[in-house]
Amino acid sequence: MRTSLVLLSARLLDPASGSFLPGTALAAAGGRITAIGDDREIRALADPSTTVIDLKGAVLTPGLVDGHLHPVSGAELTHGLDLSGCADLDAVRRALARETAGLAPGAWLHAWGLDPNVFADRPVSTAPFDAVLDGVPALLLLFDAHSMLASRRAMELAGVDGPRRFDQASAEVVCDEAGRPTGLLLEDAACELVERAAPQPTRAERRDRLAAALRAMAAAGLTGGHAMDANGDSLELYADLDAAGELPLRLRVAPWCQPGIDADALQTLIEQQGTGGALWRTEGVKLFMDGTIDNGTAWLERPDCHGESTHAFWPDPAEYTRVIGRLHRAGVPTATHAIGDAAVRHALDAVEKAQAEGGPEVRHRIEHIETVPDDTLSRFAALGVAASMQPTHCCDFTRADHTDNWSRRLGEERASRAWRCRDLWDSGATVVLGSDWPIAPYPPLGVMAGARHRRPGRDLTQPPHGPQQALTPLEALQGMTVNAARAAGETREAGRLAVGHRADLTAFAADPLTTAATDLPDVPVLLTVLDGRPTHRDPSV
C-alpha cells in the first residue's frame, strides 16, 4: 500500500502517557498510521504521489473529538441573529431593532443564543420585546436550545393561542393566569408548533450550511464528533457529503428515542445500528431524562426556587427504564441527557437494572450531569457509564458568586456541585469532553481550556466557578482523545498515536499541556488530518 501522507519535524504527543514519543515523523496509508520514526526513515517511505508536510516543530496529537455536538441542527439554529453577546434586555432590544430594520415586510426574524440571565428577576417572556417586534414574526432561541420565545405575530401565524398537551412531560406552551401564551415555549414539542409555521430553508441551503459548519470545525482542530441527533434528513445529508468527499469529520451518530415510542419504532432504531458510510456511522441511541435547569424543566430531587423542575421528560419514567433494558439486551449503547440530580440517578438506576437482567457488554453514557450529590459519583465507574461533560456551559452561563439564573434556581447547596468534572474523574469515571454546539462554541481548545480554568470565556478576569473541579492539562486533552475513544469502544484504533491506529491527527503551534489555560484557545491549529487526508492546513506549513 502506497504511503499517502508523511509528516516531518513534529513533536509527537501521546495523550495516554502525556509524554512525547521518541520519533519526529509519521507516515499514513489507507487511512491508518503505518510508521513512526525519525525524519530520514519516514521521508524514505514517500513517493512522488505522497503528500509531504514539514510541521516545523509543531505538536502533533491524535485528532480531537467533540464528545457531544449537533452538527445539522446547529447549522440551522445558528443561522440568523446572534444574541449571545447581549448582557441585558436593552442590549437585546437594540439588536432586535437593528435586525428588524432590514427585514422585508412579512419576513421572519430568527435569533439564537439568548441568555435567560438578561431577564434578571423578570419572567422570561416576549413582553419586553413586544414593542420592537410589533407585527414581526420572530423566533428567539434561548441558549440552551430547549426553549424559545415566539413573538405575538409568530404565535398568531402558528395558531397557538393557549396551552397544549404533549407526550414530552416537560414540554409546555407557557401561559399567564388568563390562559394567554406569554411567548415562552419549553422543549422541542412546543417549539415545533411555531417553528413549522416559518418558511423552511431548501435542502441545498441546509447542505451548504452544514458543510460550512463542519469545515470550520476541522479548521479548529476537530477530526470527529459524537453527534447526538439524527432528526429529519440528517443522515441523508451526512451520506451526501461523505459520498462527495466533503465530510471533514468522522461522526458517530445517535438518533433520538422519544417518549411514546412503540415497539416497531424501537426495533427500527435497533436495526439502524451500524449503518452509515465511510466516515459516519449510526452508533447508539440518544434519550432524554429531563430538560434544563435554566427553564425549569430539569428533574430535581427537590424543586428549584420557583417550585419547578419536579418531573421527568418521560411522563412514565418506568417506561424509560424498560426502553433502556430493551436497547441493552440488543447491544445498543445509549446516551441519556440527564442534567438534574433525580434524572442522573434514574438513568443510572435504569442501566443498573438492565445489566442485572443480563445481556451483552454495552457502553452506556450520561450527558451533561450538571449537578449531582456525592452518593452518585462512584456509580459511574461501577456501572461503566461514561460521564459526558460540557465544562464551557459552567464557564459561560453561570457565575462564581451564584447570582446567575442557573445557580439561583438551584440554591447554594446544589449550585456548589456544578459540573463535577474533577470529582467524577477521581471517582474512576470515563470523563468525555464536548461543547454541545450550538449551545456553546465548538473550538476544542476552548473546551479544554474551560475544563481547566472554569472562567467565562468572554471575560477571563472573572473568578472561576468551582475551581476545585478543574481538570489538569493532560486530563483535558485525554477527555477529547483517549476517553472519547474509550466511550465509543474504539480504543484499539483511535485516541493514540500508534501504528495501526486511524490517521486522524491535529497539529498545534504550541504544546497544549504547557500552554496556560487562558491562552490555550488562541493557539493556532496548523494541521488537521482525517483518515490520512488533510482537512485543514495553515499556510505556514
Side-chain angles (χ1 to χ4, degrees), residues 173-407:
V173 176
V174 178
C175 296
D176 60 20
E177 294 179 355
R180 295 182 299 251
T182 66
L184 179 60
L185 305 170
L186 302 180
E187 297 301 342
D188 184 60
C191 295
E192 284 182 352
L193 292 177
V194 184
E195 286 178 312
R196 62 192 180 209
Q200 302 301 309
T202 66
R203 189 181 189 281
E205 289 171 334
R206 296 178 65 244
R207 182 194 187 280
D208 290 346
R209 291 174 189 173
L210 174 61
L214 293 173
R215 287 194 299 270
M217 291 178 186
L222 285 174
T223 63
H226 298 169
M228 291 296 169
D229 61 59
N231 301 325
D233 60 352
S234 295
L235 301 184
E236 294 174 18
L237 291 171
Y238 294 143
D240 187 3
L241 292 176
D242 193 20
E246 298 176 38
L247 191 58
L249 263 67
R250 190 184 302 276
L251 296 173
R252 185 174 188 265
V253 185
W256 284 0
C257 177
Q258 298 274 30
I261 188 170
D262 60 24
D264 289 343
L266 189 58
Q267 182 61 31
T268 297
L269 284 176
I270 292 170
E271 294 173 355
Q272 191 177 356
Q273 300 299 305
T275 61
L279 293 171
W280 69 277
R281 282 284 188 278
T282 301
E283 298 284 353
V285 168
K286 167 77 179 298
L287 305 97
F288 292 81
M289 201 63 249
D290 64 352
T292 69
I293 288 167
D294 276 289
N295 69 21
T297 60
W299 188 18
L300 299 172
E301 294 179 337
R302 301 190 316 275
D304 67 15
C305 70
H306 300 300
E308 298 177 336
S309 285
T310 58
H311 55 265
F313 187 78
W314 288 63
D316 178 9
E319 180 61 21
Y320 162 88
T321 300
R322 288 191 287 272
V323 169
I324 291 291
R326 175 72 181 93
L327 293 170
H328 179 85
R329 291 191 299 276
V332 178
T334 65
T336 296
H337 168 122
I339 280 178
D341 44 18
V344 174
R345 191 182 302 280
H346 190 89
L348 291 168
D349 288 346
V351 171
E352 185 172 30
K353 185 175 189 297
Q355 291 176 348
E357 292 173 350
E361 182 178 336
V362 184
R363 293 175 178 82
H364 300 289
R365 48 193 282 171
I366 296 179
E367 311 298 313
H368 309 310
I369 317 166
E370 292 186 5
T371 178
V372 288
D374 292 346
D375 67 349
T376 307
L377 297 171
S378 63
R379 299 185 66 195
F380 283 83
L383 296 171
V385 173
S388 174
M389 309 289 286
Q390 297 77 45
T392 45
H393 294 198
C394 181
C395 296
D396 292 342
F397 305 128
T398 69
R399 300 172 188 148
D401 62 5
H402 295 169
T403 58
D404 58 279
N405 179 59
W406 185 94
S407 300

